[in-house]
Structure formats: C-alpha cells, structure tokens
Amino acid sequence: MTSRTVTLLDVARAAGVSKSTVSDALQGSGRVAEATRDRVRAVAEELGYRPNSAARRLRRASTGAVGLHLPATATRLDYYMNLAFGAVERAQEDGLDMMLLGPSGAAGGRIASRVDGLLVIDPESGDSAVPGLLDAGVPVVTGERYLGPAGGPSGAVVCDNAASLTALLDHVTERGARRPAVLAPSGSSAWATALRATAGSWGRARGVPVTLRTVPFAATPAEAEAATRELLAADPAVDAVICAPDGSAPGVLRAAAALGRPVGRSGGSGEGAVHTADESRGSRSGNGSGHGGEGAGPGGTGATADGSSGAPLLVASCVDGTATRGAEPPVTAVDLRPAAYGRACAALLCDILAGRTAPDTVRGHAWSLEIRASTGPSAAPAGP
C-alpha cells in the first residue's frame, strides 16, 4: 500500500476491526483489549500508517465546533432545515458551534482541523464527499445508515423506514384501497432504498398489488403531479397514492383534481388520529387486517384512458411538513419529527465526543402517523 496514503480504514480492514477501534488502539484510549491493541499497532506499522496531522491537533485541543453535511437538495426542503435547527440547538447545549459544510464536502484533513466531529445526514453511497468525511480522523455520526463501501461512522441515529411505509400501506388498505401506488424516491440513501424495497415486500406479503414509480429524491410538486398523471393514465384502477418526497404531496392533489378524482373516502372516521412508533426502535407493527377484501374500495370502475373516473383517491405522504398540513384537504403523513431527529444526531455526537457513549452506538428515532382528511372524509375536488 505504498502508492497512496494509508488510512485508518485500511488499518481497520487489515486488522478485522472497526475504524473507531483502530483510533482508540493507536491513541491508547477507549475500551480495547490489550491483545487487540497490540494487533492493531502491528498492522498499522506493517502498512506504514502515519496519523493525520490535523487529527493529532484535535486530540490535543478542541476546536469547539462540529460540522454538518446535508444532501445537496437540502436547502429547499423543510425537513432538512428543521433537522438542522434541531442539531444546532442541541450542539450549543454542549458548548459547540455548528458549521454547515458545502454539498461537495472538503478534504478530510482540512475539515478535521476545524471541527471536533461531524454529522452526515442521509448519506448516499453515490455522494463523493462522504468517504472523505467518514475518514476525516474525527468522530462521525450519520443520520440513517451509510450503505456505501467506505468505512462506517462512529455512530448512527436511524428510523425504521420500512415500518413507516408499512403503516401507510396498511392504513390506506384499511380505508378500502385495493390498488395502492407508491411514488418512491430515487437514490442510494438508506431511506430511499428502504421505501423501494418495502413497497415490493409489503405487496407480496399481503397479496395486494402495489404499483411502484420512482421519482427524484427531492421531487417538486410539478414533478409529482406529472408522475401521478402518468401513473393514473397507465393504471386508472389505482385508488391510493403514497408520495415519498418532502413537499411533493400538493402535486398529487393537483393531478387528482385535474382528473376529477375527489381526494378522501366517504364514511371515513377519525381524522386526526395518531399512531406512534416505539421510541426505542422507531418501529411500528402493522396491525391492519382489511386489505381490499370483496367490499367496494375507493377506486371503483369506469375509469377513462387518461386516468379520470370520478372515483375517490386516497393520498398520503412519507414525510409530514408544511405542505401536507396546509394542503386542501390536509394530507395524511408520517411525521419524522425532524427537529427532534437533528437533536438526537447531535446528542449522540456530543456523547461520543465527551466519552459518555462508546463509539459504534446506534440509536433509534420514533415517528408518528398523522391521519388527516386525504384518507378520511371525502373532499370536493379543487378548482372551479
């Protein structure tokens, strides 16, 4: 390994341990068995590992700051702005300033000289900045797991995204949907990957066909509207649309209105009911049993080639926010509690930096299902 600089990750792979164990072993800190410490040091010497100079400076003195890396699309999404404010607030409680990193990231050594640790939110395996951040020589906490080939973070805060989509699919079928569809996000983040996989696995397990369409990770309302029109034209029997991207639900509602599909379900009950995920794991077991049956669902028959039928359409969202709460009708959605999520990510990083929590810790984050009129009482279509 003489053609490039040997990294902590190289040593970790060769020694068969985590990157944080290598760091602790070489620094003489942490709870590392003596035999493991000796093996790591021997491997490091054999590979010619030289500690990052910026990381050495960090071990001597704190910078008093941590870095925050968000997806490139974050600046126009409410979810990430709320998450960032929560993270800033929690970091300040430990006396740490928060530095927002540019979408392209920066060289690990340069970042490591300016921060004590890093938060990397929704890391994608295709984001070229992420490997360098993970190997910057400082503790890194990710919001959601990193599925790429680089070494893992020092800790992670995760939601049970499969359970949240399962809850939405169970809910719309309990409300009578027989042909649900999911507008799932593209990309290689853990969230996007889990939603696409769950749409298929849920349908196979329930024996209910689920139509899956992929849209951009941060699809605009216009993109969601176009995707919904295309979806309903291709399969007019679809009677429920679950859209994933933050802020895209109004586009689905516009498509429904244009096609004469009233949003909601006559005779629905309990607008405003809340189902809360388990706090320790962020999970919820689907407990619905009504998945279509023989009763008439909201889709009905008599659809035309452009997807218009006059039959009700249920609409829900995988991300709650201003767009879903303020829509007409208000849209049923999963509240991922982004400000609390940002606080949880910052809290884990602060705990690792202060030695209150061991590296490699994974914590769960809870979500809740907010049931509103888009899957409840029927609403008149928008427009004249």
Side-chain angles (χ1 to χ4, degrees):
M1 308 192 79
T2 59
S3 61
R4 64 176 177 84
T5 301
V6 178
T7 68
L8 277 176
L9 179 59
D10 295 326
V11 178
R13 286 172 173 165
V17 297
S18 70
K19 191 173 69 172
S20 59
T21 297
V22 171
S23 178
D24 287 343
L26 296 180
Q27 294 180 47
S29 61
R31 293 171 290 184
V32 181
E34 192 62 34
T36 302
R37 196 183 307 275
D38 291 343
R39 184 172 81 256
V40 168
R41 288 174 174 171
V43 169
E45 183 176 354
E46 179 182 347
L47 295 179
Y49 172 74
R50 296 293 179 268
N52 181 284
S53 59
R56 287 200 302 269
R57 289 196 298 275
L58 283 172
R59 288 194 290 271
R60 289 196 297 268
S62 169
T63 68
V66 291
L68 174 63
H69 177 75
L70 298 171
T73 56
T75 55
R76 62 184 178 86
L77 299 180
D78 286 348
Y79 173 82
Y80 289 113
M81 292 301 97
N82 287 320
L83 186 152
F85 283 122
V88 168
E89 181 183 71
R90 178 59 185 84
Q92 289 178 338
E93 292 174 9
D94 268 41
L96 295 170
D97 293 326
M98 184 74 70
M99 178 188 300
L100 181 62
L101 307 181
S104 61
R110 181 158 60 88
I111 288 296
S113 67
R114 298 158 61 190
V115 299
D116 295 337
L118 292 166
L119 295 178
V120 180
I121 307 301
D122 279 331
E124 294 212 44
S125 59
D127 184 344
S128 61
V130 172
L133 295 173
L134 291 174
D135 198 36
V138 296
V140 179
V141 166
T142 58
E144 297 299 346
R145 298 182 187 276
Y146 176 59
L147 304 181
S154 307
V157 179
V158 301
C159 286
D160 193 337
N161 299 305
S164 66
L165 181 55
T166 293
L168 282 174
L169 286 164
D170 283 347
H171 170 66
V172 297
T173 52
E174 287 163 3
R175 291 294 174 96
R178 293 176 295 178
R179 293 292 297 273
V182 176
L183 301 183
S186 60
S188 55
S189 70
W191 177 67
T193 301
L195 295 185
R196 294 196 301 268
T198 301
S201 62
W202 182 93
R204 290 189 295 272
R206 305 299 199 280
V208 176
V210 177
T211 302
L212 179 66
R213 290 287 187 276
T214 301
V215 295
F217 182 88
T220 64
E223 288 170 326
E225 180 179 0
T228 303
R229 283 174 173 266
E230 179 183 338
L231 167 70
L232 296 177
D235 189 356
V238 166
D239 50 13
V241 175
I242 297 172
C243 56
D246 181 19
S248 63
V252 179
L253 297 179
R254 288 204 298 264
L259 296 173
R261 302 286 297 268
V263 173
R265 173 182 180 272
S266 297
S269 60
E271 179 186 351
V274 177
H275 300 279
T276 305
D278 177 74
E279 186 73 37
S280 63
R281 293 297 305 161
S283 63
R284 174 185 182 271
S285 299
N287 57 7
S289 58
H291 302 298
E294 297 180 357
T301 59
T304 60
D306 67 354
S308 60
S309 67
L313 182 72
L314 306 185
V315 176
S317 173
C318 295
V319 182
D320 199 12
T322 303
T324 49
R325 292 189 294 267
E328 182 54 47
V331 175
T332 291
V334 173
D335 184 359
L336 296 171
R337 303 166 57 239
Y341 191 44
R343 284 188 60 87
C345 291
L348 178 55
L349 181 58
C350 290
D351 287 347
I352 291 174
L353 290 172
R356 297 187 293 261
T357 299
D360 300 324
T361 295
V362 177
R363 292 175 178 170
H365 177 69
W367 48 266
S368 63
L369 177 58
E370 304 291 337
I371 299 173
R372 302 189 179 108
S374 68
T375 57
S378 181

